[in-house]
Amino acid sequence: MVQADESLVDGSWRATYFFDEKDETSDYEGYIFAFNDNGTAIATKNSTPVYGSWTLEKSISGSVELILGFGLTSPLEELAEDWKILESTDVLMKMEPATAVQVIRKP
């Protein structure tokens, strides 16, 4: 869990792949995501910020999950999920909930 926590707050991220029944990656084109160590998050597109929150939790099965919330702003409301972290490095985090797969990378 420490690896994911340290990686998230170190720099900014962008969604490089988002699949929810179909490829929706283009919905997140231009968004830059920043995660602060106090649990706040900012998604910025065209200099317009959308504020949200994030936390990491360990599931009953032992996997690490990223819980995101950005309110009702489209398309960011689709990110309000418990994201199971499948892979985490300094530059890539691959996650999936029950219904979608997302990959984020540092720009």
XYZ file of all heavy atoms in Angstrom:
838
model
N 0.838 -1.196 0.000
C 0.000 0.000 0.000
C 0.875 1.249 0.000
O 0.537 2.232 -0.608
C -0.947 -0.003 1.189
C -1.986 1.074 1.106
S -3.524 0.686 1.915
C -3.180 1.091 3.575
N 2.021 1.204 0.649
C 2.913 2.353 0.689
C 3.356 2.747 -0.709
O 3.355 3.917 -1.047
C 4.129 2.059 1.598
C 5.144 3.169 1.520
C 3.671 1.844 3.032
N 3.704 1.781 -1.565
C 4.134 2.069 -2.936
C 3.075 2.889 -3.666
O 3.381 3.904 -4.276
C 4.410 0.770 -3.698
C 4.570 0.935 -5.201
C 5.877 1.566 -5.613
O 6.886 1.375 -4.965
N 5.865 2.320 -6.693
N 1.815 2.471 -3.608
C 0.742 3.180 -4.296
C 0.556 4.573 -3.710
O 0.387 5.547 -4.432
C -0.559 2.387 -4.213
N 0.584 4.679 -2.379
C 0.398 5.954 -1.702
C 1.485 6.936 -2.099
O 1.215 8.063 -2.494
C 0.390 5.721 -0.188
C -0.031 6.949 0.599
O -0.637 7.859 0.005
O 0.247 6.994 1.808
N 2.738 6.522 -2.031
C 3.851 7.391 -2.385
C 3.828 7.766 -3.862
O 4.100 8.902 -4.221
C 5.176 6.713 -2.032
C 5.398 6.577 -0.548
C 6.618 5.738 -0.202
O 7.273 5.207 -1.125
O 6.902 5.609 0.999
N 3.487 6.835 -4.721
C 3.449 7.106 -6.153
C 2.359 8.102 -6.513
O 2.565 8.986 -7.340
C 3.229 5.809 -6.938
O 4.318 4.955 -6.787
N 1.181 7.958 -5.895
C 0.064 8.846 -6.229
C 0.367 10.303 -5.921
O 0.047 11.182 -6.715
C -1.194 8.428 -5.465
C -2.060 7.379 -6.128
C -3.182 6.952 -5.189
C -2.632 7.864 -7.429
N 0.958 10.592 -4.785
C 1.168 11.985 -4.390
C 2.419 12.590 -5.020
O 2.645 13.788 -4.899
C 1.206 12.149 -2.850
C -0.105 11.719 -2.236
C 2.364 11.408 -2.234
N 3.206 11.794 -5.709
C 4.429 12.267 -6.324
C 4.179 12.607 -7.790
O 4.303 11.757 -8.674
C 5.527 11.201 -6.197
C 6.865 11.685 -6.716
O 7.099 12.912 -6.723
O 7.674 10.833 -7.123
N 3.794 13.835 -8.067
C 3.577 14.268 -9.442
C 2.119 14.224 -9.858
O 1.218 14.077 -9.049
N 1.903 14.342 -11.159
C 0.543 14.355 -11.702
C 0.351 13.149 -12.615
O 1.305 12.519 -13.054
C 0.277 15.661 -12.451
O 1.225 15.841 -13.480
N -0.912 12.870 -12.910
C -1.288 11.672 -13.660
C -2.292 12.028 -14.755
O -2.984 13.043 -14.665
C -1.943 10.663 -12.720
C -1.066 10.182 -11.626
C -0.842 10.795 -10.414
C -0.279 8.997 -11.613
N 0.031 10.058 -9.671
C 0.394 8.946 -10.375
C -0.076 7.971 -12.531
C 1.246 7.906 -10.036
C 0.765 6.935 -12.185
C 1.420 6.905 -10.951
N -2.396 11.170 -15.747
C -3.442 11.292 -16.766
C -3.984 9.899 -17.054
O -3.291 8.900 -16.865
C -2.922 11.955 -18.031
C -1.813 11.218 -18.711
C -1.230 12.029 -19.870
N -0.046 11.379 -20.373
C -0.024 10.506 -21.374
N -1.150 10.207 -22.006
N 1.091 9.946 -21.758
N -5.219 9.832 -17.485
C -5.841 8.551 -17.829
C -5.420 8.184 -19.243
O -5.728 8.896 -20.190
C -7.355 8.646 -17.728
N -4.722 7.065 -19.381
C -4.269 6.635 -20.699
C -5.143 5.537 -21.269
O -5.037 5.227 -22.459
C -2.800 6.154 -20.657
O -2.683 5.088 -19.720
C -1.882 7.300 -20.261
N -6.000 4.967 -20.429
C -6.940 3.947 -20.897
C -8.074 3.843 -19.895
O -7.840 3.750 -18.695
C -6.237 2.591 -21.038
C -7.134 1.486 -21.561
C -7.610 1.521 -22.868
C -7.522 0.434 -20.754
C -8.441 0.515 -23.354
C -8.348 -0.574 -21.229
C -8.806 -0.527 -22.525
O -9.629 -1.525 -22.996
N -9.316 3.904 -20.405
C -10.496 3.751 -19.558
C -11.525 2.966 -20.357
O -11.968 3.412 -21.411
C -11.072 5.110 -19.154
C -12.179 5.011 -18.147
C -11.912 5.109 -16.796
C -13.485 4.806 -18.548
C -12.934 5.007 -15.857
C -14.507 4.701 -17.628
C -14.231 4.804 -16.277
N -11.887 1.801 -19.846
C -12.842 0.931 -20.524
C -13.979 0.604 -19.569
O -13.755 0.108 -18.473
C -12.158 -0.368 -20.975
C -13.033 -1.230 -21.841
C -13.031 -1.076 -23.213
C -13.868 -2.176 -21.281
C -13.837 -1.864 -24.018
C -14.681 -2.974 -22.070
C -14.667 -2.819 -23.444
N -15.204 0.913 -19.987
C -16.408 0.589 -19.217
C -17.474 0.176 -20.233
O -18.221 1.011 -20.714
C -16.861 1.787 -18.390
C -18.017 1.468 -17.468
O -18.362 0.280 -17.309
O -18.598 2.409 -16.898
N -17.481 -1.075 -20.596
C -18.320 -1.645 -21.648
C -17.867 -1.239 -23.041
O -18.171 -1.888 -24.009
C -19.805 -1.342 -21.432
C -20.349 -1.921 -20.142
C -21.828 -1.663 -19.953
O -22.500 -1.197 -20.889
O -22.303 -1.926 -18.839
N -17.148 -0.106 -23.136
C -16.528 0.334 -24.385
C -15.368 1.259 -24.026
O -15.277 1.731 -22.894
C -17.537 1.030 -25.299
C -18.101 2.333 -24.774
C -19.105 2.910 -25.748
C -19.773 4.177 -25.445
N -19.554 4.978 -24.321
N -14.497 1.513 -24.969
C -13.352 2.391 -24.723
C -13.853 3.827 -24.541
O -14.449 4.402 -25.443
C -12.374 2.303 -25.891
C -11.078 3.044 -25.644
O -10.992 3.845 -24.688
O -10.132 2.827 -26.412
N -13.628 4.389 -23.344
C -14.045 5.759 -23.037
C -12.837 6.644 -22.718
O -12.987 7.690 -22.084
C -15.022 5.751 -21.854
C -16.316 5.008 -22.150
C -17.279 4.975 -20.969
O -17.128 5.776 -20.026
O -18.198 4.144 -21.007
N -11.670 6.228 -23.177
C -10.452 6.969 -22.884
C -10.558 8.427 -23.330
O -10.113 9.337 -22.618
C -9.236 6.297 -23.563
O -9.201 4.921 -23.181
C -7.940 6.969 -23.164
N -11.172 8.671 -24.478
C -11.253 10.042 -25.004
C -12.043 10.973 -24.078
O -11.840 12.189 -24.111
C -11.868 10.039 -26.404
O -13.202 9.567 -26.367
N -12.925 10.434 -23.237
C -13.674 11.262 -22.281
C -12.745 11.953 -21.285
O -13.101 12.981 -20.711
C -14.688 10.430 -21.502
C -15.819 9.910 -22.360
O -15.954 10.347 -23.522
O -16.583 9.051 -21.871
N -11.571 11.374 -21.058
C -10.644 11.895 -20.051
C -9.427 12.575 -20.663
O -8.527 12.999 -19.944
C -10.212 10.753 -19.113
C -11.412 10.183 -18.413
C -12.094 9.088 -18.943
C -11.930 10.788 -17.279
C -13.239 8.596 -18.327
C -13.061 10.310 -16.662
C -13.710 9.212 -17.196
O -14.848 8.741 -16.605
N -9.441 12.718 -22.004
C -8.345 13.388 -22.682
C -8.249 14.835 -22.192
O -9.248 15.547 -22.100
C -8.580 13.366 -24.194
C -7.395 13.845 -24.982
C -7.609 13.663 -26.474
O -8.073 12.576 -26.882
O -7.319 14.610 -27.201
N -7.053 15.265 -21.868
C -6.834 16.632 -21.409
C -6.902 16.800 -19.899
O -6.513 17.844 -19.378
N -7.403 15.816 -19.185
C -7.445 15.905 -17.721
C -6.088 15.537 -17.140
O -5.474 14.551 -17.539
C -8.487 14.950 -17.125
C -9.882 15.494 -17.116
C -10.795 15.101 -18.083
C -10.305 16.400 -16.150
C -12.096 15.586 -18.089
C -11.593 16.902 -16.145
C -12.486 16.491 -17.115
O -13.765 16.976 -17.112
N -5.644 16.311 -16.180
C -4.456 16.014 -15.385
C -4.939 15.852 -13.945
O -5.659 16.701 -13.419
C -3.414 17.149 -15.476
C -2.979 17.357 -16.924
C -2.226 16.860 -14.561
C -2.229 16.189 -17.535
N -4.546 14.743 -13.318
C -4.978 14.420 -11.965
C -3.814 14.597 -10.997
O -2.704 14.145 -11.272
C -5.479 12.973 -11.892
C -6.692 12.714 -12.734
C -6.558 12.327 -14.062
C -7.970 12.860 -12.211
C -7.678 12.087 -14.842
C -9.086 12.630 -12.986
C -8.939 12.245 -14.314
N -4.079 15.239 -9.877
C -3.092 15.397 -8.811
C -3.719 14.903 -7.510
O -4.887 15.199 -7.218
C -2.674 16.851 -8.673
N -2.942 14.146 -6.756
C -3.395 13.573 -5.494
C -2.519 14.121 -4.373
O -1.296 13.964 -4.414
C -3.308 12.043 -5.545
C -4.150 11.444 -6.636
C -3.619 11.233 -7.904
C -5.464 11.098 -6.405
C -4.394 10.692 -8.921
C -6.248 10.558 -7.419
C -5.711 10.356 -8.675
N -3.129 14.780 -3.406
C -2.401 15.376 -2.292
C -2.376 14.419 -1.107
O -3.295 13.625 -0.926
C -3.054 16.701 -1.892
C -3.070 17.675 -3.055
O -2.054 17.916 -3.681
N -4.243 18.207 -3.372
N -1.334 14.536 -0.288
C -1.192 13.608 0.827
C -2.234 13.805 1.927
O -2.350 12.979 2.828
C 0.224 13.634 1.400
C 0.668 15.003 1.861
O -0.154 15.936 1.921
O 1.865 15.133 2.175
N -3.052 14.858 1.835
C -4.126 15.064 2.817
C -5.455 14.442 2.368
O -6.492 14.663 2.989
C -4.314 16.555 3.104
C -4.788 17.339 1.898
O -4.961 16.799 0.803
N -4.988 18.636 2.082
N -5.434 13.662 1.263
C -6.642 12.992 0.802
C -7.471 13.785 -0.194
O -8.529 13.330 -0.621
N -7.004 14.971 -0.583
C -7.720 15.733 -1.607
C -7.127 15.406 -2.980
O -5.974 14.999 -3.091
C -7.644 17.253 -1.360
O -6.275 17.657 -1.383
C -8.301 17.622 -0.040
N -7.931 15.579 -3.998
C -7.508 15.338 -5.375
C -8.020 16.474 -6.245
O -9.037 17.094 -5.930
C -8.064 14.007 -5.872
N -7.306 16.736 -7.318
C -7.709 17.773 -8.260
C -7.594 17.211 -9.672
O -6.548 16.679 -10.049
C -6.835 19.032 -8.145
C -6.829 19.572 -6.713
C -7.318 20.114 -9.115
C -5.784 20.646 -6.475
N -8.672 17.318 -10.435
C -8.667 16.968 -11.851
C -8.777 18.285 -12.616
O -9.744 19.023 -12.440
C -9.837 16.055 -12.186
N -7.793 18.581 -13.440
C -7.761 19.858 -14.154
C -7.799 19.618 -15.652
O -7.064 18.788 -16.180
C -6.489 20.647 -13.789
O -6.414 20.788 -12.371
C -6.505 22.024 -14.434
N -8.682 20.364 -16.318
C -8.755 20.336 -17.779
C -8.962 21.765 -18.254
O -9.852 22.461 -17.749
C -9.901 19.445 -18.260
C -9.980 19.337 -19.770
C -11.036 18.355 -20.215
C -11.052 18.240 -21.724
N -12.046 17.268 -22.184
N -8.151 22.197 -19.209
C -8.243 23.564 -19.734
C -8.209 24.595 -18.612
O -9.003 25.536 -18.590
C -9.493 23.747 -20.588
C -9.524 22.835 -21.783
O -8.483 22.530 -22.367
N -10.700 22.366 -22.138
N -7.329 24.409 -17.645
C -7.132 25.301 -16.490
C -8.327 25.356 -15.549
O -8.393 26.221 -14.685
C -6.784 26.725 -16.956
O -5.601 26.711 -17.718
N -9.311 24.456 -15.721
C -10.478 24.420 -14.838
C -10.354 23.232 -13.890
O -10.394 22.081 -14.321
C -11.785 24.295 -15.650
O -11.852 25.387 -16.565
C -13.000 24.305 -14.745
N -10.207 23.510 -12.578
C -10.059 22.419 -11.624
C -11.403 21.866 -11.142
O -12.383 22.599 -11.028
C -9.317 23.074 -10.459
C -9.774 24.495 -10.496
C -10.005 24.816 -11.961
N -11.420 20.572 -10.892
C -12.539 19.914 -10.220
C -11.930 19.240 -8.996
O -10.987 18.457 -9.120
C -13.236 18.863 -11.115
C -14.336 18.146 -10.350
C -13.789 19.517 -12.372
N -12.454 19.582 -7.824
C -11.880 19.087 -6.583
C -12.582 17.814 -6.138
O -13.791 17.666 -6.304
C -11.970 20.161 -5.493
C -11.177 21.387 -5.874
C -11.791 22.469 -6.497
C -9.811 21.442 -5.649
C -11.054 23.587 -6.877
C -9.063 22.556 -6.019
C -9.695 23.614 -6.632
O -8.964 24.704 -7.013
N -11.795 16.906 -5.592
C -12.341 15.650 -5.125
C -11.545 15.112 -3.960
O -10.781 15.829 -3.314
N -11.715 13.818 -3.717
C -11.025 13.178 -2.608
C -10.572 11.783 -3.026
O -11.067 11.218 -3.997
C -11.941 13.083 -1.398
O -13.069 12.276 -1.702
N -9.629 11.251 -2.260
C -9.132 9.905 -2.511
C -8.648 9.298 -1.204
O -8.297 10.003 -0.268
C -8.010 9.909 -3.540
C -6.715 10.491 -3.016
C -6.378 11.812 -2.963
C -5.610 9.771 -2.466
N -5.136 11.969 -2.418
C -4.638 10.724 -2.098
C -5.341 8.435 -2.250
C -3.425 10.382 -1.533
C -4.125 8.081 -1.674
C -3.184 9.045 -1.336
N -8.677 7.995 -1.157
C -8.107 7.251 -0.039
C -7.719 5.865 -0.526
O -8.259 5.390 -1.527
C -9.094 7.159 1.152
O -8.423 6.612 2.271
C -10.299 6.325 0.818
N -6.776 5.255 0.142
C -6.395 3.882 -0.137
C -6.864 3.014 1.020
O -6.713 3.391 2.175
C -4.878 3.744 -0.280
C -4.247 4.350 -1.510
C -2.726 4.248 -1.426
C -4.741 3.678 -2.777
N -7.444 1.877 0.696
C -7.900 0.940 1.712
C -7.517 -0.469 1.304
O -7.420 -0.775 0.124
C -9.418 1.017 1.893
C -9.892 2.315 2.469
C -11.392 2.355 2.695
O -12.078 1.353 2.437
O -11.878 3.405 3.132
N -7.341 -1.306 2.290
C -7.088 -2.723 2.035
C -8.423 -3.448 2.119
O -9.157 -3.306 3.090
C -6.099 -3.279 3.052
C -5.472 -4.578 2.635
C -4.306 -4.921 3.526
C -3.134 -5.229 2.629
N -1.942 -5.576 3.362
N -8.749 -4.223 1.086
C -10.019 -4.954 1.051
C -9.931 -6.202 1.919
O -8.844 -6.607 2.356
C -10.387 -5.335 -0.376
O -9.520 -6.352 -0.832
N -11.065 -6.834 2.128
C -11.115 -8.072 2.893
C -10.232 -9.138 2.250
O -9.594 -9.936 2.924
C -12.575 -8.566 3.024
C -13.365 -7.579 3.862
C -12.641 -9.959 3.616
C -14.859 -7.829 3.890
N -10.167 -9.128 0.927
C -9.356 -10.123 0.211
C -7.865 -9.803 0.267
O -7.043 -10.590 -0.185
C -9.803 -10.223 -1.251
O -9.499 -9.012 -1.925
N -7.506 -8.623 0.796
C -6.109 -8.239 0.906
C -5.605 -7.339 -0.200
O -4.468 -6.887 -0.157
N -6.426 -7.079 -1.213
C -5.991 -6.189 -2.289
C -6.092 -4.734 -1.827
O -6.846 -4.400 -0.914
C -6.844 -6.401 -3.543
O -8.181 -6.025 -3.307
N -5.305 -3.881 -2.451
C -5.339 -2.452 -2.152
C -6.309 -1.784 -3.111
O -6.276 -2.041 -4.313
C -3.935 -1.826 -2.268
C -3.997 -0.327 -2.025
C -2.973 -2.488 -1.300
N -7.180 -0.937 -2.570
C -8.174 -0.249 -3.394
C -8.035 1.259 -3.256
O -7.811 1.772 -2.164
C -9.579 -0.676 -2.987
C -9.860 -2.134 -3.279
C -11.265 -2.562 -2.893
O -12.013 -1.761 -2.306
O -11.602 -3.720 -3.194
N -8.167 1.937 -4.382
C -8.198 3.389 -4.438
C -9.651 3.806 -4.524
O -10.362 3.409 -5.451
C -7.418 3.898 -5.655
C -7.497 5.394 -5.947
C -6.868 6.208 -4.824
C -6.818 5.697 -7.278
N -10.103 4.602 -3.556
C -11.479 5.096 -3.558
C -11.425 6.559 -3.988
O -10.747 7.378 -3.362
C -12.146 4.944 -2.179
C -12.338 3.461 -1.859
C -13.500 5.621 -2.154
C -11.382 2.918 -0.899
N -12.095 6.869 -5.100
C -12.091 8.208 -5.676
C -13.471 8.843 -5.601
O -14.481 8.154 -5.703
C -11.701 8.153 -7.157
C -10.262 7.840 -7.498
C -10.107 7.725 -9.005
C -9.336 8.891 -6.951
N -13.509 10.161 -5.492
C -14.759 10.897 -5.573
C -14.513 12.286 -6.123
O -13.694 13.033 -5.598
N -15.196 12.625 -7.214
C -15.100 13.950 -7.818
C -16.478 14.582 -7.985
O -16.674 15.437 -8.839
C -14.399 13.883 -9.182
C -12.910 13.743 -9.083
C -12.315 12.507 -9.223
C -12.110 14.837 -8.835
C -10.942 12.354 -9.132
C -10.736 14.711 -8.738
C -10.141 13.465 -8.881
N -17.457 14.162 -7.206
C -18.787 14.741 -7.308
C -19.509 14.298 -8.562
O -19.264 13.215 -9.086
N -20.373 15.179 -9.054
C -21.244 14.829 -10.173
C -20.796 15.422 -11.508
O -21.541 15.375 -12.478
C -22.677 15.274 -9.865
C -23.305 14.633 -8.622
C -24.700 15.204 -8.366
C -23.367 13.123 -8.763
N -19.592 15.979 -11.564
C -19.095 16.569 -12.800
C -18.813 15.477 -13.829
O -18.050 14.559 -13.570
C -17.804 17.370 -12.532
O -18.072 18.370 -11.555
C -17.292 18.020 -13.806
N -19.453 15.591 -14.998
C -19.247 14.619 -16.069
C -17.917 14.908 -16.755
O -17.584 16.073 -16.967
C -20.386 14.730 -17.073
O -20.235 13.800 -18.093
N -17.141 13.930 -17.105
C -17.295 12.491 -16.957
C -16.713 11.947 -15.651
O -16.684 10.749 -15.428
C -16.516 11.937 -18.145
C -15.341 12.867 -18.252
C -15.922 14.233 -17.901
N -16.237 12.845 -14.780
C -15.516 12.416 -13.585
C -16.368 11.630 -12.594
O -15.845 10.879 -11.784
C -14.887 13.622 -12.883
C -13.892 14.424 -13.735
C -13.435 15.667 -12.989
C -12.719 13.568 -14.142
N -17.689 11.759 -12.693
C -18.557 10.997 -11.780
C -18.395 9.496 -11.983
O -18.633 8.706 -11.071
C -20.030 11.420 -11.913
C -20.793 10.785 -13.050
C -20.539 11.366 -14.435
O -19.787 12.359 -14.551
O -21.071 10.827 -15.414
N -17.932 9.103 -13.169
C -17.715 7.675 -13.430
C -16.534 7.119 -12.638
O -16.385 5.906 -12.517
C -17.484 7.428 -14.920
C -18.739 7.568 -15.745
C -18.547 6.994 -17.130
O -18.023 5.873 -17.231
O -18.913 7.669 -18.089
N -15.698 7.992 -12.099
C -14.543 7.550 -11.327
C -14.885 7.243 -9.871
O -14.039 6.742 -9.133
C -13.438 8.612 -11.385
C -12.923 8.963 -12.773
C -11.858 10.043 -12.676
C -12.386 7.735 -13.487
N -16.109 7.543 -9.463
C -16.539 7.279 -8.079
C -16.724 5.779 -7.896
O -17.811 5.236 -8.049
C -17.830 8.035 -7.763
N -15.622 5.123 -7.642
C -15.577 3.661 -7.541
C -14.577 3.270 -6.464
O -13.775 4.076 -6.023
C -15.087 3.039 -8.862
C -15.969 3.225 -10.047
C -17.032 2.152 -10.169
O -17.039 1.216 -9.348
O -17.848 2.258 -11.084
N -14.615 2.007 -6.115
C -13.534 1.383 -5.368
C -12.679 0.675 -6.411
O -13.086 -0.337 -6.966
C -14.065 0.375 -4.352
C -14.820 1.034 -3.211
O -15.014 2.263 -3.246
O -15.210 0.312 -2.291
N -11.505 1.241 -6.709
C -10.636 0.733 -7.767
C -9.607 -0.223 -7.179
O -8.774 0.174 -6.358
C -9.912 1.892 -8.462
C -10.838 2.805 -9.174
C -11.452 3.920 -8.679
C -11.280 2.685 -10.526
N -12.232 4.494 -9.640
C -12.151 3.758 -10.787
C -11.005 1.765 -11.535
C -12.756 3.942 -12.016
C -11.614 1.953 -12.767
C -12.470 3.039 -12.993
N -9.654 -1.456 -7.584
C -8.667 -2.452 -7.159
C -7.378 -2.186 -7.926
O -7.372 -2.163 -9.161
C -9.177 -3.860 -7.453
C -8.203 -4.949 -7.055
C -8.797 -6.310 -7.377
C -7.813 -7.411 -7.069
N -8.361 -8.731 -7.438
N -6.280 -1.976 -7.211
C -5.001 -1.707 -7.850
C -4.365 -3.024 -8.249
O -4.056 -3.866 -7.410
C -4.083 -0.894 -6.920
C -4.733 0.460 -6.619
C -2.705 -0.717 -7.547
C -3.999 1.307 -5.615
N -4.198 -3.206 -9.556
C -3.626 -4.427 -10.103
C -2.111 -4.337 -10.238
O -1.405 -5.329 -10.107
C -4.228 -4.734 -11.476
C -5.739 -4.867 -11.537
C -6.194 -5.022 -12.970
C -6.211 -6.024 -10.683
N -1.638 -3.134 -10.551
C -0.208 -2.902 -10.761
C 0.095 -1.476 -10.352
O -0.669 -0.558 -10.646
C 0.124 -3.112 -12.241
C 1.560 -2.913 -12.600
C 1.826 -3.089 -14.094
O 0.939 -3.570 -14.826
O 2.933 -2.735 -14.516
N 1.227 -1.268 -9.674
C 1.600 0.065 -9.236
C 3.106 0.234 -9.334
O 3.864 -0.538 -8.753
C 1.137 0.293 -7.792
O 1.557 1.556 -7.326
N 3.530 1.239 -10.125
C 4.940 1.614 -10.214
C 5.010 3.118 -10.007
O 3.993 3.774 -9.770
C 5.546 1.232 -11.577
O 5.009 2.104 -12.585
C 5.290 -0.219 -11.932
N 6.200 3.684 -10.158
C 6.349 5.134 -10.009
C 5.668 5.911 -11.124
O 5.388 7.092 -10.966
C 7.830 5.514 -9.971
C 8.491 5.088 -8.675
O 7.786 4.828 -7.688
O 9.736 5.008 -8.656
N 5.414 5.265 -12.275
C 4.873 5.992 -13.425
C 3.573 5.407 -13.977
O 2.998 5.964 -14.907
C 5.903 6.096 -14.566
C 7.113 6.908 -14.129
C 6.318 4.727 -15.054
N 3.108 4.278 -13.436
C 1.910 3.635 -13.962
C 1.127 2.994 -12.827
O 1.701 2.441 -11.900
C 2.311 2.541 -14.964
C 1.148 1.670 -15.446
C 0.919 1.900 -16.919
C 1.440 0.212 -15.172
N -0.189 3.120 -12.908
C -1.059 2.431 -11.977
C -2.210 1.840 -12.779
O -2.932 2.561 -13.455
C -1.579 3.377 -10.905
C -2.223 2.651 -9.755
S -2.470 3.699 -8.320
C -0.777 4.041 -7.872
N -2.343 0.529 -12.732
C -3.413 -0.153 -13.442
C -4.430 -0.599 -12.399
O -4.080 -1.241 -11.415
C -2.870 -1.356 -14.213
C -3.897 -2.026 -15.080
C -3.261 -3.123 -15.913
C -4.272 -3.749 -16.834
N -3.669 -4.802 -17.664
N -5.703 -0.242 -12.659
C -6.766 -0.495 -11.687
C -7.998 -1.037 -12.382
O -8.187 -0.797 -13.566
C -7.139 0.812 -10.982
C -5.989 1.496 -10.307
S -6.429 3.132 -9.702
C -6.465 4.068 -11.206
N -8.836 -1.724 -11.607
C -10.114 -2.157 -12.151
C -11.143 -2.288 -11.035
O -10.841 -2.767 -9.953
C -9.993 -3.479 -12.896
C -9.768 -4.681 -12.006
C -9.786 -5.985 -12.785
O -9.869 -5.950 -14.006
O -9.712 -7.034 -12.139
N -12.374 -1.821 -11.291
C -13.486 -2.173 -10.417
C -14.191 -3.380 -11.038
O -13.666 -3.987 -11.968
C -14.373 -0.937 -10.447
C -14.151 -0.395 -11.808
C -12.727 -0.774 -12.193
N -15.356 -3.669 -10.584
C -16.090 -4.813 -11.134
C -16.478 -4.597 -12.593
O -16.637 -5.549 -13.340
C -17.333 -5.085 -10.296
N -16.622 -3.337 -13.037
C -17.180 -3.083 -14.366
C -16.277 -2.303 -15.314
O -16.688 -1.994 -16.409
C -18.501 -2.299 -14.247
O -18.216 -1.065 -13.588
C -19.540 -3.083 -13.475
N -15.054 -1.931 -14.913
C -14.226 -1.116 -15.806
C -12.754 -1.405 -15.565
O -12.374 -1.935 -14.535
C -14.506 0.373 -15.580
N -11.930 -1.025 -16.543
C -10.487 -1.100 -16.401
C -9.929 0.274 -16.746
O -10.338 0.879 -17.729
C -9.868 -2.171 -17.339
C -8.356 -2.123 -17.273
C -10.391 -3.550 -16.977
N -9.005 0.764 -15.935
C -8.406 2.064 -16.180
C -6.912 1.974 -15.961
O -6.450 1.296 -15.037
C -8.986 3.111 -15.216
C -8.339 4.466 -15.359
C -8.836 5.471 -14.357
O -9.256 5.130 -13.278
N -8.783 6.731 -14.735
N -6.148 2.663 -16.800
C -4.713 2.790 -16.636
C -4.395 4.270 -16.589
O -4.848 5.026 -17.447
C -3.941 2.123 -17.797
C -2.437 2.338 -17.638
C -4.267 0.642 -17.874
N -3.642 4.700 -15.567
C -3.207 6.087 -15.524
C -1.695 6.111 -15.546
O -1.033 5.210 -15.046
C -3.748 6.855 -14.287
C -3.251 6.246 -12.975
C -5.267 6.930 -14.334
C -3.649 7.045 -11.739
N -1.138 7.129 -16.209
C 0.305 7.300 -16.328
C 0.649 8.735 -16.014
O -0.169 9.623 -16.186
C 0.789 7.018 -17.747
C 0.714 5.603 -18.186
C 1.371 5.469 -19.568
N 1.175 4.153 -20.102
C 1.979 3.132 -19.884
N 3.037 3.284 -19.149
N 1.726 1.959 -20.414
N 1.866 8.927 -15.615
C 2.356 10.302 -15.451
C 2.595 10.881 -16.840
O 3.046 10.177 -17.734
C 3.634 10.301 -14.625
C 3.338 9.919 -13.179
C 4.488 10.208 -12.287
C 4.062 9.889 -10.858
N 5.142 10.092 -9.913
N 2.270 12.178 -17.018
C 2.447 12.790 -18.346
C 3.899 12.876 -18.761
O 4.782 12.784 -18.027
C 1.864 14.189 -18.182
C 1.269 14.291 -16.856
C 1.661 13.080 -16.082
